[in-house]
Amino acid sequence: AGDGSEPSLEACAQLMRSASTDAERRQLLAELDAGLQMLGRERLPGLPPGSAFADIAVVAADAPEVSRRLTTVPPELSDVLDTLWDDATNDPLLVRVFMRLGSSAADARAIALASDENVDPSTRHAMLANLEELGQPSCVAPLLEIVASDPDADTDTDAATRLAALNVLRRFSDPAVQEQLLATYGGLAEPLRSGVREVLLGRPASALAFLEHVDRGEFPQDDVTAVELRRLALHDDETIAALVRKHWGNIRAGTPEEKLAEIRRLTNDLRAGSGDVDRGRALFTKNCATCHRLFDDGHAVGPELTTANRADQVFLLTSIVDPSAQVRKEYLRYNVLTNDGRIATGLLVEDGGASVTLLTEKNERVTIPRDEIEQLEPSQLSLMPEDILKPLRPQEVRDLFAYLQSQTPG
């Protein structure tokens, strides 16, 4: 199916017809989905047939964006698949295959299920994942309605669905996305505000519009994190940079001398008293657990801390103050620039032929199709910002270190 030619797709139809049970048809449908995902790719030359590397693919130089969806389907394959389609289906795999085949009915079904509050959350999220990969501009307006739904009716599930809708909206440079998200932002609470910033700050025009709202006092400047400020610098736009300097100062890596002075200051703070483990655990959850695991708390975006050299206070302080001094290969940060100017950053957790998946500092997976990527390059900077301890009072630093250096979770 990844070949996309009429003979290959006719062969797929023969295979589908050969299935004698529902389980076999399901397996073949999943394989068809995997093959269609490779549309518009070429196999790398010179690889031995049947080797583990024979399925590695690269983007064809002339592959247009629409190559992820077929424009014509041979009648043999269409006839076989039409027997499987149901306008009332809730099956994410079936919908996804038909979306790859260019079906407008499948597009409409994905949007309808994603938008229906009476549909179970797992199905809604699966449909939103389909739209994140294959959605057309027609999905923008319904997704904006999901995000703008009544904040007073929020539940954890509703918030998760709205965040998933925001993930889809990252793909689209439609001016309506910028306009409505800016209008919605003030009525949202975290983490939805964070999700909206992720969309808006990813493109130069919407990033500038957001910063202008901050400049007019309409959005709190404290909402913007150090990681987000660092991403703004990647736009290389002087107007954006001027607004960042005006409200947050110069966002740059500290010099070795500045970092050494910061380590000395924090060392003096730590020596001035003792810390409380329980308060430190709460500070860890708030400031560190998004990326790090300690005991049974947190996420594995960054290095596991439970087995780290936490007893060495100098090592711990240096790693926090200067996180980019030594970055292990598996935690290398990558910057992605898309064809339409979007910036994305994160750990490179999947690098397949069809797409690249980044894991952000918010523990979110962002998948970007290969044919939308203009530039992909490693960064010299750690995903972890340098100034994570600066907002903390001396006693809070002591509390945090009491927990970081504890031998048990308490």
Side-chain angles (χ1 to χ4, degrees), residues 140-207:
V140 168
L143 291 173
L144 286 171
E145 289 184 13
I146 295 174
V147 175
S149 55
D150 184 5
D152 295 332
D154 270 356
T155 65
D156 290 341
T157 300
D158 289 337
T161 302
R162 294 164 75 186
L163 284 170
L166 284 167
N167 287 341
V168 184
L169 288 170
R170 294 173 182 175
R171 285 190 50 219
F172 299 99
S173 56
D174 188 330
V177 174
Q178 171 183 317
E179 180 181 351
Q180 186 153 335
L181 292 185
L182 287 171
T184 304
Y185 184 82
L188 300 176
E190 293 290 351
L192 290 169
R193 281 194 177 198
S194 176
V196 171
R197 292 196 304 275
E198 187 74 25
V199 178
L200 294 175
L201 300 183
R203 300 179 191 276
S206 54

Side-chain angles (χ1 to χ4, degrees), residues 85 94-100 103-111:
W85 179 254
L94 187 63
V95 171
R96 184 165 64 249
V97 168
F98 274 78
M99 289 176 74
R100 295 194 195 283
S103 167
S104 58
D107 291 339
R109 187 62 180 156
I111 293 170

Side-chain angles (χ1 to χ4, degrees), residues 368-381:
I368 305 172
R370 277 279 185 182
D371 52 13
E372 293 182 8
I373 296 176
E374 179 176 313
Q375 189 173 3
L376 169 66
E377 61 181 16
S379 170
Q380 295 181 343
L381 296 177

Side-chain angles (χ1 to χ4, degrees), residues 129-312:
N130 287 347
L131 291 169
E132 185 174 4
E133 180 185 358
L134 297 160
Q136 302 298 288
S138 59
C139 75
V140 168
L143 291 173
L144 286 171
E145 289 184 13
I146 295 174
V147 175
S149 55
D150 184 5
D152 295 332
D154 270 356
T155 65
D156 290 341
T157 300
D158 289 337
T161 302
R162 294 164 75 186
L163 284 170
L166 284 167
N167 287 341
V168 184
L169 288 170
R170 294 173 182 175
R171 285 190 50 219
F172 299 99
S173 56
D174 188 330
V177 174
Q178 171 183 317
E179 180 181 351
Q180 186 153 335
L181 292 185
L182 287 171
T184 304
Y185 184 82
L188 300 176
E190 293 290 351
L192 290 169
R193 281 194 177 198
S194 176
V196 171
R197 292 196 304 275
E198 187 74 25
V199 178
L200 294 175
L201 300 183
R203 300 179 191 276
S206 54
L208 178 58
F210 180 90
L211 293 176
E212 287 172 343
H213 278 69
V214 172
D215 194 45
R216 294 193 294 268
E218 296 166 355
F219 297 159
Q221 70 178 55
D222 290 345
D223 280 6
V224 185
T225 68
V227 171
E228 290 165 347
L229 290 172
R230 197 163 62 183
R231 188 180 303 130
L232 285 169
L234 297 175
H235 290 304
D236 196 23
D237 182 289
E238 181 50 41
T239 307
I240 290 175
L243 285 171
V244 170
R245 286 193 298 270
K246 177 179 179 180
H247 292 277
W248 294 277
N250 286 317
I251 307 301
R252 60 173 177 81
T255 65
E257 293 76 17
E258 289 170 337
K259 293 171 185 175
L260 183 59
E262 180 71 358
I263 290 171
R264 287 172 177 164
R265 180 185 71 79
L266 291 166
T267 299
N268 289 335
D269 288 343
L270 290 169
R271 288 173 177 168
S274 59
D276 181 90
V277 172
D278 289 335
R279 292 197 300 265
R281 184 188 301 109
L283 287 164
F284 175 84
T285 300
K286 178 181 178 181
N287 295 282
C288 314
T290 303
C291 293
H292 295 283
R293 281 185 64 81
L294 178 55
F295 306 120
D296 293 324
D297 187 16
H299 299 92
V301 178
E304 165 70 54
L305 299 183
T306 309
T307 55
N309 185 19
R310 294 179 292 113
D312 186 339

